[in-house]
């Protein structure tokens, strides 16, 4: 005999069965689809990411593979020792193909229109069948150490071209407007077949001169009416410029730009003649309208021809390599100094003595060096 509870359970079970004769019948449901496709799940289990070897990366760079070029620059910019070792091995393999480009440094105060100018100037070079690489240095935050790296989005035409390569890089606290590994990145771009390299600096003012030690031609962009006309009589970044271009020389601003050009040319004559035997000049241009872009390129070619003829071109590159060696050597020696066992404790001890007025600065530094 069935109990009441069993009878109720049986009725519920019978009600769940399909009864085609009943209008209230319930069809069996369909199982939910899996969140991840079984095919993709199986692929993830079997697929392993293949690591590209140093030889493959170097071969890809020499054949113009932009993906391999980007990967190699990432290795160059990394702070990991294993990545640095791979980057140096790649550079060693591609070095025979380095040096066959025109290196142009472009700097200027923030807001001068460097990215817009490079977009217009680069488009002109692409029309002349050149291959262009742009290394844009973006300032890094002193607080978060991060960078926006938005230069690529502001160069829409160049970023879509197969003959142009844009690589934004953080300055990572490096002074002089360029990143520590900009020179190595430039070598990789040359090895990849780019015949014109543009280095766009951070744009911080008079101290931004380090880019001059790694390029053939130094272009300084200026603005008319920005209060910088008297800066022409100062030594520094303007003294290093091979060409000063007053940008945004269009519309109502054009007469002011023309007047500024005359003032800058007068100021340039106050500087001693450069070793290159090239007479620095001033001109006007417009990054938006493209005005004066062709003239600037002609002046750059004239400069290259002049310096190659008088021997300064090759001599300058040799001096730049020597300076690069000295700077890198100092960085490595300084790094090794701080990595010595017990050095951190010794430095803290010297700092406490200085703050307490128990010693002098030079005495403590000499004490640390003697250790």
């Amino acid at each position: 005999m069935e109990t009441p509870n069993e009878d109720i359970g049986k009725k519920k079970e019978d009600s769940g069965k399909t009864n085609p004769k009943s209008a209230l019948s319930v069809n069996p449901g369909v199982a939910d689809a899996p969140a991840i496709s079984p095919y993709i799940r199986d692929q993830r289990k079997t697929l392993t990411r293949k690591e590209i070897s140093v030889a493959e990366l170097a071969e890809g760079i020499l054949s113009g593979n932009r993906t391999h070029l980007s990967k190699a620059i990432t290795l160059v910019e990394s702070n990991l020792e294993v990545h640095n070792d791979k980057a140096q091995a790649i550079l060693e393999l591609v070095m025979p193909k380095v040096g066959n480009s025109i290196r142009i440094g472009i700097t200027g105060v923030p807001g001068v229109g460097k990215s817009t100018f490079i977009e217009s100037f680069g488009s002109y070079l692409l029309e002349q069948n050149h291959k262009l690489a742009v290394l844009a240095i973006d300032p890094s935050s002193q607080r978060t150490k991060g960078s926006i790296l938005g230069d690529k989005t502001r160069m829409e035409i160049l970023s879509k071209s197969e003959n142009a390569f844009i690589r934004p890089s953080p300055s990572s606290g490096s002074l002089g407007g360029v990143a520590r590994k900009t020179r190595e990145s430039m070598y990789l771009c040359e090895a990849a077949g780019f015949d014109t390299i543009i280095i766009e600096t951070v744009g911080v003012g008079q101290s931004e001169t380090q880019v001059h030690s790694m390029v053939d031609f130094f272009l300084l962009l200026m603005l008319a009416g920005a209060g910088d006309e008297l800066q022409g009589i100062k030594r520094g970044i303007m003294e290093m410029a091979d060409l000063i271009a007053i940008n945004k020389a269009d519309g109502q601003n054009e007469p002011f730009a023309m007047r500024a050009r005359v003032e800058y040319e007068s100021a340039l004559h106050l500087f001693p003649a450069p070793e290159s035997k090239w007479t620095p000049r001033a001109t006007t241009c417009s990054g938006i309208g493209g005005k004066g872009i062709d003239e600037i390129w002609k002046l750059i070619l004239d400069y290259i021809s002049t310096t190659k003829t008088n021997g300064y071109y090759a001599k300058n590159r040799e001096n730049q390599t020597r300076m690069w060696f000295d700077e890198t050597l100092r960085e490595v020696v300084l790094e090794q100094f701080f990595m010595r066992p017990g050095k951190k404790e010794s430095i803290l001890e010297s700092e406490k003595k200085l703050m307490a007025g128990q010693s002098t600065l030079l005495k403590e530094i000499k004490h640390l060096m003697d250790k």
Side-chain angles (χ1 to χ4, degrees):
M1 181 176 179
E2 295 180 352
T3 63
N5 291 337
E6 291 177 350
D7 184 49
I8 294 173
K10 184 177 181 181
K11 290 180 179 180
K12 288 184 178 180
E13 183 180 352
D14 292 341
S15 64
K17 295 181 180 180
T18 303
N19 185 4
K21 296 181 180 181
S22 174
L24 300 177
S25 62
V26 179
N27 294 325
V30 179
D32 292 336
I36 301 177
S37 170
Y39 173 78
I40 295 179
R41 184 174 60 245
D42 294 339
Q43 285 292 101
R44 285 183 176 180
K45 293 179 180 178
T46 58
L47 184 62
T48 56
R49 189 173 181 180
K50 180 183 177 182
E51 184 176 356
I52 305 176
S53 67
V54 168
E56 290 174 330
L57 282 174
E59 184 179 355
I61 292 170
L62 295 175
S63 63
N65 188 311
R66 297 153 65 96
T67 301
H68 287 189
L69 173 60
S70 297
K71 289 181 180 293
I73 294 179
T74 300
L75 292 175
V76 164
E77 294 177 345
S78 174
N79 292 324
L80 296 178
E81 186 176 355
V82 61
H83 289 172
N84 288 333
D85 292 341
K86 293 183 68 174
Q88 297 308 312
I90 294 171
L91 283 167
E92 188 175 355
L93 292 174
V94 303
M95 281 304 286
K97 299 294 183 180
V98 165
N100 299 318
S101 73
I102 298 177
R103 305 167 182 173
I104 305 171
I106 298 180
T107 189
V109 296
V112 75
K114 293 189 295 294
S115 297
T116 305
F117 172 82
I118 293 174
E119 171 88 332
S120 181
F121 183 61
S123 299
Y124 173 80
L125 294 179
L126 295 180
E127 293 175 358
Q128 306 299 315
N129 297 322
H130 288 281
K131 293 191 66 177
L132 173 68
V134 180
L135 302 177
I137 313 303
D138 200 57
S140 299
S141 170
Q142 294 296 321
R143 294 184 177 181
T144 65
K145 309 302 179 183
S147 298
I148 297 177
L149 303 178
D151 296 271
K152 193 170 184 177
T153 60
R154 290 184 289 176
M155 303 178 191
E156 187 176 357
I157 298 177
L158 297 183
S159 61
K160 293 180 180 179
S161 174
E162 295 182 357
N163 291 324
F165 176 80
I166 304 176
R167 175 71 182 207
S169 299
S171 62
S172 300
S174 297
L175 301 178
V178 294
R180 287 184 57 195
K181 305 299 181 68
T182 299
R183 192 185 301 268
E184 288 92 332
S185 300
M186 177 180 65
Y187 288 163
L188 292 173
C189 291
E190 289 181 341
F194 293 97
D195 56 49
T196 308
I197 312 292
I198 292 179
I199 300 178
E200 179 195 359
T201 68
V202 169
V204 294
Q206 290 283 345
S207 63
E208 194 168 289
T209 56
Q210 188 176 353
V211 68
H212 184 265
S213 66
M214 62 179 68
V215 297
D216 303 315
F217 189 89
F218 192 30
L219 172 61
L220 175 61
L221 294 179
M222 301 292 283
L223 289 173
D228 288 334
E229 285 80 358
L230 292 179
Q231 300 295 329
I233 63 175
K234 287 188 176 182
R235 296 180 182 272
I237 193 169
M238 294 191 65
E239 188 179 25
M240 295 183 177
D242 299 304
L243 176 65
I244 296 177
I246 296 87
N247 195 22
K248 302 183 180 181
D250 45 32
Q252 297 180 352
N253 198 43
E254 186 172 1
F256 299 101
M258 297 300 294
R259 188 187 312 161
R261 181 186 64 81
V262 175
E263 293 174 349
Y264 282 124
E265 280 190 338
S266 300
L268 288 173
H269 289 298
L270 299 176
F271 295 140
E275 187 181 355
S276 63
K277 308 301 180 183
W278 166 264
T279 303
R281 307 171 196 182
T283 186
T284 59
C285 65
S286 173
I288 295 179
K291 176 184 176 183
I293 297 298
D294 55 343
E295 180 184 356
I296 290 177
W297 179 240
K298 290 177 182 178
L299 288 172
I300 293 176
L301 293 180
D302 188 15
Y303 171 88
I304 298 299
S305 176
T306 300
T307 54
K308 282 187 175 181
T309 301
N310 60 30
Y312 175 78
Y313 184 87
K315 181 180 178 181
N316 182 47
R317 286 201 170 184
E318 291 177 357
N319 291 336
Q320 290 177 351
T321 303
R322 188 177 296 109
M323 290 176 61
W324 178 38
F325 176 78
D326 292 342
E327 292 173 0
T328 306
L329 179 61
R330 290 190 180 95
E331 290 180 1
V332 173
V333 170
L334 185 62
E335 184 178 354
Q336 293 294 327
F337 172 80
F338 285 103
M339 289 178 62
R340 285 179 172 270
K343 186 60 63 178
K344 184 177 181 180
E345 291 75 10
S346 300
I347 293 175
L348 291 175
E349 182 181 349
S350 296
E351 287 179 350
K352 290 180 180 179
K353 289 183 179 180
L354 286 174
M355 293 176 183
Q358 299 174 356
S359 184
T360 63
L361 178 65
L362 292 179
K363 179 181 178 180
E364 289 305 312
I365 291 179
K366 185 176 185 300
H367 176 65
L368 290 172
M369 297 300 296
D370 290 341
K371 282 190 175 181

